[in-house]
Structures are given as C-alpha cells and as structure tokens.
Amino acid sequence: MSIIIQAKPIRISEPAHTKTDACVIVIFGVLGDLTGRKLLPALYRLVCAGHLPDQFHVLGVGRDAMSDERFRTQMHDSAKGFVQETEEWNEAGWQDFAKRLHYAAGDLKDAAAYRQLATRLQELGSKEQASLNHLFYFSTPPSLAPSIVDGLNEASLAQEEKGWSRVIVEKPFGRDLASAQALNEAIARVFGEHQVYRIDHYLGKDTVQNILVFRFGNSLFEPVWNRNYIDYVEITAAETLGVEHRAAYYEETGALRDMVANHLLQLLTLTAMDPPVAFDADSVREEKVQVLRSIHPMACEEVAERTVRGQYDDGEINGRKVPAYRDEEGVSPNSATETYAAVEFCVENWRWAGVPFYVRTGKRLARSLTEIAVHLKRTPQALFARTPADRIGPNVIVLRIQPDEGINITFGAKRPGTEMHTAMVQMDFSYQESFGARSPAAYETLLLDAIRGDATLFTRRDEVEAQWRLITPIEEAWAQQPSPKFPNYASGSSGPAEADRLPQRYGHRWRAI
C-alpha cells in the first residue's frame, strides 16, 4: 500500500539577477537541428529575461549562402515551434531578439572561412557595437573540431588580448579513450583549459544541480549517504522514442556511448562524490573525477557478468504500433547496435565500498523518465513485523530528473487504528508546485554559465578521459563476445529480461519503469 503525503510548498520569491558580460556567440553548424530546437530558444529566453546586455549578438556559420534576413526567418520558424510546446510565444520579444542574429557562409575545413569570420566580427564591433568577447559553439560532428580549432588559431581568434575567447564543445567527446585523448590534445594546442567548455546538457537540469544542495545542504541526509546505510543505487534514463531521424548517428554510437559514457556517469559522480571544499568549478570537478578514479575498469570476464545489452523489437507505445530497430529507416537489417544498456559499477572507496550502482538506459521503453533511486538498508524487523504484511519496506529516496522534476521519499508509518499495523507512505516534492515558476531549460543555464565564465557544470578534460577509461573496455569486450540474439525486448516493455539478473545477484531489483 502506498499513501501519498504532499509536502507543503513554501513560496520563495525569485532572486534578482545580474546581467553578464556582453559577447558574440559564434555558432558553427548553425543550420543543424540543435540550433533551432535548443540554442536559439535558450538565448531568446535569456534576452527576454534581461540576463544578456544590448551588446550581445549571435553570428551563425553554415555552408549555405543566405542573407541575415533569410537566416532570421528560418530561425524564427524553427524556434517558435519549439518554444510553443512549453510556453506562450512572444512575437515582439522575438523580433527584438532577431536584430541580434547574423549569418556568415563558410566551409569549416577552409582556412579562408576563418579569416572572413574575423573580418565579420570586426564589422559587428564597429557597426553594431558588438562585444570583443567571443564564445565559439561547436554544433558540429567531433571530426570537425580540429579544423575549427586550427582555423580560429590561424585567424587570431583564440587569443584574449582584446577580450576573452571561449569554446563550447558538444558531446560526443570522442568515441573511445584514444579518440577522446586526440580531441583533447587538438583543442589544448590552441586553447587553455580555462577557455574550454565541454557541454553535457544533463548537468544544466535543476534537479541535477539540486543533488548537491540536497546532499550537502541538509544534515538530515548527508550523515546516512554512505555504505553504512545505503544498500544500492539505481540510475535510469528511459525513453519511449526510437532512433527517429538519428539512425546514421546511432548505428555508429549505440546506447552505451550515447548515454552511459556521459549523462549517466555524470549523474553517478554527483550522487557519489564527497563534499567539495567550495562550490566552484575546480573543487566540484575534482571530486567528480575522484569518483571515476575509484571505479576500476572491467576485465573482459567481468563485462559478461556486470553488463547487459539489448535491442528493441516491434511493439506498441501509447497505443501506437512501432517498428523494430532493424526496421527503422537507415538501420542495417542485421544491426548489432544496442538500444539498451545496463551496467553495474562499483565505487571502491571508503564511502561506497560494497554498494553497487546500477545504471540503465534504453529506447522504446514503457515510459520516458530519468531518475536516481537511492535504496537504504532495511531496519531490523523484530519490533513491528508480526505478520508479513507488517514488514516495513526499506526507505527509498528518488530524485526525479524528468519529467516532473522533484524528489520523492518513501518511509514507513503506522496505519490508523487500534492495532500496530504499518504501511509505506511517500513524501513528494515537485519543483513546479513548490516554486510555481518554469525551470530554466538546461541550455539556458549552461550558456549563461559559459558567458559568465563559470565552468562548474561543464566537463573537464581529465573527467572526459576518466569516463572513457571505464566505457572503452566494455565496448572492446562486447566486440569480442558473441552478440546477443537481437532483438531481445519488445517496444513498450521495461527492457530485456536478462537485465533483471544484474540486481538480483545481490537480492536487489529494478524499480518499475
């Protein structure tokens, strides 16, 4: 039985915000899907909210020739469709924002394009009073990053004599340890680490950031956040969507590289890290790296025991028939690419020794959700457990990343009546109900932090490489081991049945999706 106790919201007024440095954001690959769906809606909201000054401008760089006006119209249509899904569209606000949008055509492999870019930035400075601070956003495949870095260097756009110069690099940060190291080396030849912002949009979500406040700002929870009280932790990122229009990318990537190598390991580090000495970029990221260093890379035989991979078959999602992965457009009919991955990680340090961390992610599952579930150890039952029905279940703390961001705590309570009978009840905190305001989109938070020069929510070079040191041995072992008989789970299910064996080895079980 589950009884819901709704936590009473405490209304908190929104703190005043301060404007940031002016800058020009240069978006390479601006005509790609990311710009219209995420980047420009985020910047539009930041301008409307007064976070960005008048000297702020956006310069998009793409292969197709077009005027500024045509570019603005194209971005208007794309951004409007995305914003209207979540909030009311403000046409006047967009038109004011659109004046700051500019476009330049260029081949990102041609050095001449960067010299032309430097000239265009100078023109914006003189004609539009645009800032001399430059933020270069790599909304491109990772393979183009070295060419962009070299081009910026040759055009003297990486130097910081007249204003700061920073780069934002989108994931994936390589596809294995060797390629990640090569990418980092290429960037480091031109840019200092303080100029580099490796973006993982999961780290911009309010509940992800709230993990640190929840843990280290409340004496109620921090004393029990260790192996003495916690039995196991599970981290889930489930999607009802299939590969959609990303089949070519997904065939080369798979669920392990796409989600576990970055998003889920980031959630693991925030859940497991020790308290930093200060809430600043170096202190927080150092503690996250220490967690990754405490996880030993798996040997081939360990991979067979502690990982499961799956691929979705056809099925039904929300009453709609959906095809198998191998029947998706652009997917090989014999594809061995995994659309589901589950891994058991062991953090071998003083705080977490003996506590398994189970992570799982998959497409075409029964429900879309991302959450961290911390299962505490069961108390001795002799005092209350007169019958099996009176056994008090273990406490569970669930941090909901999406949807309905919030925190849920399950605990035992006495049922009403004259006899001692117990039930499990829940206390639930919802961001929307407690604060009554829209949480900023992840890209709003991260773009604003990059402009402010705050790298706390971005991934450091050694952190990226530490993640790949854990993921690459799994990929290599999977390549050597016989492939599972794909497809091995139906669309609309909770994933392959074999995944249940990971937690069951220690008497644990997954939460229902």
Side-chain angles (χ1 to χ4, degrees):
M1 178 177 181
S2 178
I3 302 171
I4 303 297
I5 298 177
Q6 191 69 33
K8 183 178 180 180
I10 300 174
R11 294 293 176 180
I12 300 175
S13 59
E14 186 171 345
H17 56 260
T18 57
K19 288 189 176 182
T20 59
D21 288 349
C23 73
V24 177
I25 293 186
V26 178
I27 303 176
F28 295 111
V30 74
L31 300 181
D33 191 48
L34 178 66
T35 305
R37 287 192 309 109
K38 300 292 185 181
L39 301 184
L40 286 188
L43 293 171
Y44 155 74
R45 292 181 183 121
L46 290 174
V47 168
C48 290
H51 287 292
L52 299 174
D54 293 340
Q55 294 78 19
F56 168 81
H57 289 264
V58 177
L59 176 57
V61 180
R63 291 185 62 89
D64 299 341
M66 69 173 70
S67 65
D68 287 355
E69 285 305 318
R70 181 183 166 195
F71 173 64
R72 291 166 182 168
T73 299
Q74 185 170 327
M75 292 300 103
H76 169 277
D77 296 342
S78 179
K80 181 177 181 180
F82 180 79
V83 170
Q84 281 184 322
E85 292 179 4
T86 56
E87 64 197 87
E88 185 177 348
W89 175 259
N90 185 328
E91 185 66 32
W94 173 267
Q95 293 304 325
D96 180 65
F97 171 68
K99 298 173 184 176
R100 307 162 185 257
L101 302 182
H102 314 275
Y103 182 81
D107 181 353
L108 297 181
K109 294 183 178 180
D110 185 356
Y114 300 93
R115 293 191 292 270
Q116 295 168 2
L117 174 62
T119 301
R120 186 67 184 277
L121 288 171
Q122 289 177 346
E123 292 174 354
L124 286 177
S126 60
K127 295 180 180 179
E128 303 285 349
Q129 287 76 52
S131 172
L132 297 178
N133 298 321
H134 299 144
L135 178 60
F136 300 101
Y137 199 112
F138 294 13
S139 182
T140 60
S143 58
L144 284 176
S147 297
I148 297 173
V149 167
D150 290 341
L152 292 174
N153 186 42
E154 292 175 11
S156 300
L157 291 173
Q159 290 72 33
E160 298 188 291
E161 287 86 357
K162 295 181 181 179
W164 51 253
S165 179
R166 298 168 187 156
V167 296
I168 295 182
V169 185
E170 269 281 352
K171 81 169 189 74
F173 314 118
R175 58 177 287 106
D176 53 23
L177 178 58
S179 60
Q181 290 173 326
L183 177 59
N184 282 333
E185 283 295 331
I187 294 173
R189 285 195 293 267
V190 175
F191 291 94
E193 183 63 27
H194 72 282
Q195 297 174 276
V196 182
Y197 293 72
R198 298 171 189 84
I199 193 167
D200 183 337
H201 73 270
Y202 261 49
L203 297 184
K205 296 179 182 292
D206 266 344
T207 304
V208 173
Q209 299 170 65
N210 195 46
I211 295 171
L212 300 184
V213 178
F214 179 80
R215 288 188 53 197
F216 303 129
N218 297 287
S219 58
L220 182 63
F221 303 109
E222 174 53 26
V224 301
W225 212 263
N226 55 60
R227 59 186 170 85
N228 296 323
Y229 297 93
I230 291 176
D231 193 13
Y232 65 103
V233 178
E234 57 174 308
I235 303 173
T236 299
E239 296 180 89
T240 57
L241 293 175
V243 292
E244 308 306 310
H245 56 282
R246 302 172 67 218
Y249 164 79
Y250 209 83
E251 275 285 84
E252 294 294 323
T253 306
L256 188 71
R257 287 190 178 101
D258 187 46
M259 292 293 291
V260 180
N262 37 73
H263 300 329
L264 297 191
L265 279 177
Q266 287 295 313
L267 296 182
L268 189 155
T269 59
L270 290 168
T271 304
M273 63 184 275
D274 280 336
V277 296
F279 191 69
D280 58 42
D282 285 337
S283 299
V284 171
R285 296 192 293 182
E286 183 59 35
E287 294 300 336
K288 289 165 63 184
V289 170
Q290 292 302 326
V291 172
L292 295 170
R293 289 173 179 167
S294 299
I295 303 173
H296 298 151
M298 296 184 203
C300 189
E301 59 273 14
E302 290 180 291
V303 171
E305 292 181 355
R306 293 167 52 193
T307 71
V308 172
R309 48 184 161 155
Q311 185 186 94
Y312 64 80
D313 201 351
D314 59 8
E316 189 172 290
I317 301 281
N318 297 325
R320 180 174 62 92
K321 291 286 187 179
V322 295
Y325 176 72
R326 291 178 175 180
D327 294 331
E328 301 274 16
E329 184 178 352
V331 174
S332 166
N334 300 311
S335 174
T337 299
E338 81 282 358
T339 62
Y340 177 100
V343 184
E344 174 202 332
F345 290 107
C346 299
V347 182
E348 299 294 344
N349 61 18
W350 186 264
R351 181 186 287 263
W352 295 110
V355 179
F357 284 73
Y358 307 111
V359 305
R360 59 176 170 170
T361 184
K363 290 188 173 296
R364 289 291 191 217
L365 297 180
R367 195 157 58 100
S368 291
L369 66 92
T370 302
E371 67 177 28
I372 302 166
V374 179
H375 297 257
L376 280 76
K377 293 181 178 179
R378 188 186 294 270
T379 60
Q381 297 294 307
L383 186 60
F384 302 114
R386 298 180 182 179
T387 69
D390 288 327
R391 294 192 71 197
I392 298 176
N395 303 134
V396 183
I397 301 171
V398 179
L399 298 101
R400 297 190 304 272
I401 311 301
Q402 61 184 19
D404 185 25
E405 293 179 287
I407 300 170
N408 178 279
I409 301 175
T410 303
F411 60 96
K414 179 187 176 297
R415 296 173 183 264
T418 58
E419 297 184 7
M420 178 58 74
H421 294 295
T422 62
M424 298 306 293
V425 298
Q426 299 181 35
M427 238 196 294
D428 193 77
F429 156 70
S430 166
Y431 263 91
Q432 178 62 36
E433 292 186 14
S434 292
F435 296 109
R438 179 189 67 86
S439 293
Y443 278 97
E444 291 176 56
T445 299
L446 295 171
L447 286 168
L448 193 60
D449 279 358
I451 296 169
R452 289 171 171 166
D454 183 352
T456 304
L457 300 178
F458 294 84
T459 311
R460 202 167 65 184
R461 172 179 178 167
D462 56 345
E463 193 175 350
V464 168
E465 295 177 9
Q467 291 175 160
W468 281 116
R469 284 191 180 93
L470 302 177
I471 298 301
T472 298
I474 299 175
E475 291 284 358
E476 292 174 346
W478 282 358
Q480 297 173 24
Q481 296 166 358
S483 296
K485 187 177 180 181
F486 285 161
N488 59 352
Y489 70 94
S491 293
S493 70
S494 295
E498 188 186 3
D500 292 340
R501 70 171 172 80
L502 288 186
Q504 285 175 353
R505 290 192 303 154
Y506 303 106
H508 304 148
R509 63 180 181 178
W510 296 109
R511 282 168 53 84
I513 293 179

